Amino acid sequence: MTPDQIAALPYRPNVGIMLIDGRGLIFAAQRLDNPVPAWQMPQGGIDAGEDPRGAALRELEEEIGVPPALVQVLAETEDWLTYDLPPDLLGKVWKGKFRGQRQKWFLMRYLGRDEQIDLAQEHPEFSEWRWIDAQAMIDAIVPFKRDIYAQVVAAFRPHLA
């Protein structure tokens, strides 16, 4: 793809969820589709006609089995945050329709017990999970998402360990 073709591609509408426990630690999960360590927070696309908050609650349940009743929404990013895919992923991810993602992030406190988190969903995305601090989360994400994760951590810093 040429730089002009890339620049003409839209961003995929997406939500991200920073799920924290009572200590202010962040839920991080290892992606199944990446052979190298690729820990991330839950995130996913916004369906047609769906509002971002509803999408975030749906994605949380679809990805890690946590229903809305087990979370308290504490905050959301004021603005939409964007990131671009690296050149080696352009044209491969999302059928080549998007240059990256435009994300609204939500901070949610987990009200359940660890054993209620269930990665074995209909379309599993993660192989394992853990609670980690903010710097460990930034360090664990793939490099092309590191800046957006730093922005999310900064936005939600008062609630974190």
Side-chain angles (χ1 to χ4, degrees):
M1 297 182 83
T2 69
D4 287 342
Q5 289 172 317
I6 294 168
L9 290 173
Y11 287 101
R12 178 178 180 250
N14 188 273
V15 292
I17 302 101
M18 178 182 277
L19 185 67
I20 60 172
D21 68 4
R23 302 166 294 178
L25 295 174
I26 301 166
F27 175 91
Q30 168 64 41
R31 292 196 57 86
L32 273 172
D33 62 0
N34 202 323
V36 298
W39 294 81
Q40 72 172 50
M41 294 180 274
Q43 64 177 61
I46 300 172
D47 293 339
E50 190 174 38
D51 69 276
R53 182 183 171 123
L57 292 168
R58 175 186 51 75
E59 285 291 337
L60 202 57
E61 190 160 16
E62 287 179 0
E63 291 187 2
I64 65 171
V66 173
L70 289 182
V71 297
Q72 174 188 13
V73 179
L74 300 175
E76 67 182 77
T77 52
E78 187 173 326
D79 297 315
W80 290 80
L81 308 175
T82 60
Y83 72 84
D84 292 333
L85 289 170
D88 61 312
L89 293 179
L90 275 169
K92 297 176 186 172
V93 179
W94 311 304
K95 301 176 184 173
K97 295 179 184 177
F98 303 100
R99 67 187 281 185
Q101 296 200 94
R102 178 177 179 258
Q103 298 181 310
K104 175 64 86 164
W105 280 85
F106 293 84
L107 175 66
M108 299 184 192
R109 183 174 313 282
Y110 182 56
L111 305 174
R113 298 180 316 278
D114 284 0
E115 57 270 16
Q116 291 175 282
I117 294 173
D118 183 10
L119 303 182
Q121 298 301 308
E122 184 175 346
H123 302 285
E125 293 190 30
F126 303 118
S127 59
E128 58 184 300
W129 70 273
R130 62 188 181 197
W131 297 108
I132 61 178
D133 67 33
Q135 188 58 54
M137 185 73 260
I138 292 170
D139 293 342
I141 190 62
V142 291
F144 69 92
K145 292 184 183 178
R146 200 157 283 146
D147 182 59
I148 204 165
Y149 268 44
Q151 291 177 60
V152 172
V153 164
F156 300 146
R157 173 61 72 193
H159 300 276
L160 305 179

